[in-house]
C-alpha cells in the first residue's frame, strides 16, 4: 500500500489532529488556560463574591 | 472481471462411482482425485488411469466446491483442488485450495479456524537465519515449525498426489504477512502469504456461508484499515511538533509584572473591599496571572479578586484561597498548603484595569499582611499537556489493543516472546 493510501485511511484522525492543534494554537495566542475555564467568571455586573465558609482544624 | 476463465472443462466420469470429474487445466494435470469416493487417477493424453489405493474421503464441516471461480487481488481464479492437511501427531487440520488462472498460474488459499491466507510461490530464496527470515528488506519471525501430512484431497494436481511425501513447514510472520518454507528430502519451496478478510472470500467466490472465525489468525492484521507504521510516524510527528511549540510559546511569553502592591487586613478591614490603583494591560488579548503571597502561620486566608475594565465595565472574578499548616506528630514533621496562591485569568483584552479585592482573614490573628502581583502574558504549560493527552488518546488505545492482539496471536506459537 502506498504511503498516500495509508495516510488516507487515517484521514479522520488527521482531521482531528488539525482541529485540536488549531484549538491549541488559538488558546496559546489568546492566553486562554483550558483548566481555568471555570475559575474565572466573566460578567458585566458585579454580583459580589461567594464568600466561602471555611472549616479548619 | 479481469482475466476471465472461459475454457470449458474436459468432462470425465469416475469409473468407480460415476461422479463427474471435470479437468480444467487439461494437459498440465498429472493426477485427479474424485471428490466423492477418493479414487486417484493419473492423466495421460486425456486418458484416466485408476491408481490403487485411493484417498479416504472424510467428512469436512465446510468446503468450497471445485470449479467455482472468484476474483482475488484483481485476478480471476478458479478453484481446481483441495488438500486437507494436518500437523503430524496433532489434531490440527486445515484446508488448502489450489487456485488457477491461465495467465497468472497457481496460487493457494489456506483456511484455518476461519482465517484465510492467499499464498504465492516465490521465485527467490528468502534469507533464513535461525528464527528470523528476511525477504525484500522485510523481517519475519518464526511462528511455527511442524511436519505436515495430507489427510485427504480432491480435484486436479500437477504431480502424483499419492506420492507426495510428508513435508516440514516453517512459518515466519510479521505484521504484513507470512513467509513459509516447505521442504522435504527432495524439494524446497518458499511461499509468501497475505491475510484475506473472510468477507472478501465470501464475496469473491459468491459463497452462501463461510467458516466462523475462531481466535486470532496467524497473520490476521489488527484493525486492517490502519497501518501500524504510519500511525507510529504520525505519533512521532505529533510529539516533535508539540515539543517545538512548547519551546516556542515558552520563549515568547513575556511574563511581565504589571502590578505589585502589599496590603494589611485587620479586624476592621476584613470582609471589606479594597480598590487598587489602575494599571494598563497591552499587546492585545493575553492572559494574566494573579498571585497572592500572604504571611500565614497555621492559618488560612481568602480574597475575592475582581478585575474591572475601566472603559467597558467588564468584570472578571476569581476566588483565591491560601492555607498553610504544619506540625510535628509521631516523630515526623508535616506541612500542607502554601503561603501563596496563583491563578490565571484567561484571554483578557488590552485596556486599563483595576482590581477590587475582598480579603477575609481568620479570627485567630489581629492582622494579615499580603502582596498582590499581576503578571501579563504567562506561559501555560498545562494546555500543552492536555492537548498532547487528547491527541494521543487514539494511538494509545490502538497500541494497547494491538499489543494484546499480538499477545493472543502468539499464544498459538511455540516461539512467543510474550510472557504467559
Amino acid at each position: 500500500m502506498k504511503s498516500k493510501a495509508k495516510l488516507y485511511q487515517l484521514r479522520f484522525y488527521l482531521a482531528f489532529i488539525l482541529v485540536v492543534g488549531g484549538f491549541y494554537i488559538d488558546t496559546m495566542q489568546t492566553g486562554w488556560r483550558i483548566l481555568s475555564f471555570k475559575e474565572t467568571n466573566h460578567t458585566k455586573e458585579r454580583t459580589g463574591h461567594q464568600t466561602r465558609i471555611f472549616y479548619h482544624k | 472481471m479481469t482475466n476471465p476463465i472461459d475454457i470449458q472443462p474436459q468432462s470425465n466420469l469416475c469409473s468407480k462411482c460415476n461422479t463427474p470429474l471435470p479437468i480444467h487445466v487439461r494437459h498440465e494435470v498429472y493426477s485427479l482425485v474424485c471428490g466423492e469416493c477418493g479414487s486417484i487417477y493419473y492423466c495421460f493424453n486425456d486418458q484416466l488411469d485408476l491408481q490403487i489405493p485411493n484417498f479416504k474421503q472424510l467428512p469436512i464441516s465446510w468446503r468450497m466446491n471445485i470449479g467455482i471461480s472468484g476474483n482475488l487481488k484483481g485476478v480471476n481464479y478458479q478453484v481446481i483442488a483441495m488438500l486437507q492437511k494436518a500437523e503430524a501427531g496433532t489434531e490440527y487440520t486445515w484446508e488448502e485450495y489450489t487456485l488457477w488462472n491461465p495467465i497468472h498460474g497457481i496460487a493457494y488459499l489456506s483456511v484455518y479456524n476461519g482465517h484465510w491466507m492467499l499464498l504465492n510461490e516465490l521465485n527467490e530464496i528468502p534469507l533464513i537465519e535461525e528464527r528470523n527470515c528476511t525477504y525484500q528488506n522485510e523481517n519475519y519471525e518464526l511462528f511455527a515449525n511442524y511436519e505436515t501430512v495430507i489427510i485427504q484431497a480432491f480435484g486436479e494436481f500437477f504431480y502424483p498426489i499419492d506420492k507426495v511425501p510428508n513435508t516440514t513447514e516453517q512459518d515466519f510472520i510479521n505484521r504484513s504477512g507470512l513467509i513459509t518454507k516447505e521442504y522435504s528430502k527432495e524439494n524446497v519451496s518458499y511461499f509468501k502469504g497475505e491475510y484475506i478478510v473472510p468477507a472478501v472470500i465470501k464475496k469473491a467466490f459468491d459463497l452462501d456461508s463461510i467458516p466462523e472465525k475462531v481466535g486470532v489468525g496467524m497473520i490476521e492484521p489488527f484493525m486492517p484499515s490502519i497501518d501500524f507504521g504510519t500511525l507510529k510516524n504520525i505519533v512521532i510527528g505529533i510529539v516533535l511538533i508539540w515539543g517545538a511549540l512548547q519551546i516556542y510559546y515558552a520563549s515568547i511569553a513575556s511574563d511581565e509584572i504589571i502590578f505589585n502592591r502589599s496590603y494589611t487586613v485587620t479586624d476592621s478591614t476584613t470582609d471589606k473591599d479594597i480598590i487598587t490603583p489602575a494599571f494598563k494591560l497591552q499587546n492585545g488579548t493575553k492572559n494574566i496571572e494573579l498571585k497572592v503571597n500572604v504571611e500565614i502561620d497555621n492559618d488560612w486566608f481568602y480574597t475575592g479578586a475582581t478585575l474591572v475594565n475601566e472603559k467597558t465595565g467588564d468584570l472578571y472574578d476569581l476566588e483565591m484561597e491560601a492555607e498553610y499548616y504544619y506540625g510535628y506528630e509521631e516523630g515526623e514533621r508535616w506541612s500542607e498548603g502554601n503561603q501563596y496562591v496563583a491563578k490565571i485569568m484567561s484571554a483578557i483584552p488590552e485596556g486599563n484595569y483595576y482590581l477590587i479585592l475582598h480579603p477575609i482573614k481568620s479570627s485567630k490573628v489581629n492582622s494579615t499582611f499580603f502582596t498582590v502581583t499581576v503578571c501579563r502574558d504567562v506561559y501555560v504549560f498545562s494546555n500543552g499537556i492536555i492537548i498532547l493527552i487528547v491527541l494521543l488518546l487514539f494511538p494509545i488505545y490502538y497500541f494497547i489493543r494491538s499489543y494484546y492482539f499480538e499477545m493472543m496471536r502468539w499464544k498459538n506459537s511455540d516461539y512467543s516472546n510474550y510472557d504467559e
Side-chain angles (χ1 to χ4, degrees):
Chain A
M1 202 171 13
K2 288 181 182 171
S3 55
K4 262 189 184 176
K6 288 174 181 174
L7 279 175
Y8 182 75
Q9 288 178 331
L10 284 160
R11 62 194 179 281
F12 294 116
Y13 180 53
L14 291 171
F16 176 72
I17 292 170
L18 283 179
V19 171
V20 174
F23 169 72
Y24 169 66
I25 288 169
D26 185 59
T27 63
M28 295 307 278
Q29 294 292 342
T30 58
W32 200 75
R33 184 172 178 260
I34 299 168
L35 284 178
S36 67
F37 73 100
K38 272 190 167 176
E39 279 180 4
T40 314
N41 182 25
H42 179 196
T43 56
K44 279 282 184 187
E45 278 178 34
R46 192 168 184 225
T47 53
H49 296 290
Q50 299 289 316
T51 305
R52 301 272 176 92
I53 300 165
F54 292 95
Y55 296 93
H56 290 281
K57 298 169 198 170
Chain B
M1 271 189 163
T2 58
N3 312 322
I5 298 169
D6 52 6
I7 303 165
Q8 287 303 308
Q10 180 187 323
S11 299
N12 300 284
L13 286 177
C14 176
S15 61
K16 273 192 172 175
C17 67
N18 274 339
T19 302
L21 294 177
I23 300 179
H24 301 86
V25 195
R26 301 194 95 163
H27 303 295
E28 293 176 53
V29 171
Y30 192 105
S31 59
L32 194 62
V33 181
C34 173
E36 197 63 35
C37 67
S39 298
I40 301 169
Y41 297 88
Y42 282 179
C43 309
F44 296 109
N45 297 327
D46 289 345
Q47 298 297 311
L48 300 184
D49 182 18
L50 182 64
Q51 304 294 304
I52 295 171
N54 61 344
F55 273 114
K56 272 187 186 172
Q57 295 304 78
L58 304 165
I60 300 176
S61 58
W62 184 93
R63 73 182 193 190
M64 273 204 286
N65 291 325
I66 298 298
I68 63 167
S69 58
N71 193 285
L72 279 181
K73 301 279 168 186
V75 179
N76 196 21
Y77 285 112
Q78 191 156 36
V79 180
I80 60 166
M82 188 218 76
L83 287 174
Q84 189 182 31
K85 291 182 170 180
E87 184 178 338
T90 71
E91 292 176 347
Y92 297 122
T93 63
W94 64 98
E95 287 80 55
E96 199 175 278
Y97 294 92
T98 307
L99 308 179
W100 174 73
N101 175 283
I103 297 164
H104 295 270
I106 295 291
Y108 300 94
L109 198 54
S110 170
V111 55
Y112 174 66
N113 274 349
H115 296 283
W116 297 80
M117 286 190 295
L118 182 67
L119 296 128
N120 285 288
E121 191 164 359
L122 295 176
N123 296 320
E124 303 162 74
I125 298 175
L127 176 67
I128 293 176
E129 290 173 325
E130 295 181 1
R131 286 165 65 168
N132 292 300
C133 169
T134 307
Y135 177 69
Q136 292 185 339
N137 297 323
E138 280 201 62
N139 293 318
Y140 298 81
E141 286 179 77
L142 181 63
F143 184 86
N145 187 3
Y146 50 96
E147 190 183 347
T148 60
V149 189
I150 295 175
I151 300 176
Q152 62 174 323
F154 63 90
E156 45 206 286
F157 300 91
F158 305 104
Y159 45 85
I161 186 67
D162 54 335
K163 294 191 170 56
V164 175
N166 290 356
T167 56
T168 301
E169 286 194 24
Q170 286 184 321
D171 295 330
F172 298 86
I173 67 164
N174 69 9
R175 286 182 186 274
S176 65
L178 154 101
I179 297 289
T180 290
K181 179 185 179 183
E182 189 180 289
Y183 62 97
S184 61
K185 283 178 183 170
E186 295 92 33
N187 191 27
V188 182
S189 305
Y190 297 92
F191 299 88
K192 187 173 190 314
E194 62 182 305
Y195 190 82
I196 306 287
V197 176
V200 170
I201 297 288
K202 192 176 176 189
K203 192 178 173 194
F205 291 95
D206 195 20
L207 301 168
D208 293 333
S209 66
I210 48 171
E212 284 288 316
K213 271 196 333 184
V214 178
V216 176
M218 182 165 61
I219 54 169
E220 182 183 3
F222 173 67
M223 288 193 187
S225 60
I226 293 171
D227 181 69
F228 183 88
T230 307
L231 186 61
K232 199 169 79 177
N233 289 339
I234 289 174
V235 168
I236 293 169
I238 287 173
V239 172
L240 288 176
I241 293 170
W242 178 85
L245 284 174
Q246 295 311 301
I247 294 168
Y248 172 71
Y249 284 121
S251 66
I252 63 164
S254 60
D255 204 5
E256 182 189 359
I257 295 174
I258 302 293
F259 176 83
N260 186 57
R261 187 164 285 215
S262 300
Y263 300 91
T264 302
V265 190
T266 60
D267 288 337
S268 60
T269 57
T270 190
D271 209 0
K272 287 178 182 163
D273 285 347
I274 298 171
I275 296 173
T276 71
F279 48 86
K280 195 171 188 179
L281 301 180
Q282 292 174 309
N283 302 325
T285 301
K286 302 279 178 193
N287 62 21
I288 63 166
E289 185 182 45
L290 200 63
K291 290 181 196 167
V292 173
N293 287 287
V294 57
E295 290 181 1
I296 45 176
D297 187 1
N298 269 325
D299 205 354
W300 58 267
F301 176 78
Y302 164 89
T303 182
T306 304
L307 183 73
V308 186
N309 186 311
E310 280 189 329
K311 192 177 172 188
T312 64
D314 279 337
L315 304 170
Y316 302 87
D317 279 340
L318 262 187
E319 293 187 275
M320 317 279 283
E321 305 148 19
E323 51 184 355
Y324 181 61
Y325 294 92
Y326 61 89
Y328 190 81
E329 271 178 34
E330 294 172 1
E332 279 188 28
R333 286 196 178 281
W334 63 269
S335 71
E336 62 180 42
N338 290 298
Q339 290 175 306
Y340 67 89
V341 56
K343 286 189 176 179
I344 299 247
M345 283 184 173
S346 300
I348 306 295
E350 61 187 6
N352 287 326
Y353 290 84
Y354 61 91
L355 280 168
I356 303 170
L357 303 170
H358 192 93
I360 301 172
K361 69 171 185 64
S362 78
S363 54
K364 277 165 52 177
V365 289
N366 293 329
S367 66
T368 302
F369 180 79
F370 70 100
T371 305
V372 177
T373 309
V374 176
C375 289
R376 178 71 160 162
D377 192 13
V378 177
Y379 168 60
V380 182
F381 182 63
S382 61
N383 279 9
I385 293 292
I386 291 166
I387 293 297
L388 188 68
I389 291 169
V390 169
L391 287 178
L392 295 185
L393 277 179
F394 170 67
I396 288 168
Y397 165 80
Y398 176 89
F399 291 130
I400 290 173
R401 286 291 310 273
S402 170
Y403 177 84
Y404 282 105
F405 192 82
E406 287 302 313
M407 207 161 77
M408 294 301 289
R409 182 201 312 286
W410 283 90
K411 259 176 105 172
N412 301 321
S413 169
D414 294 332
Y415 304 95
S416 173
N417 292 321
Y418 293 88
D419 295 331
E420 284 295 317

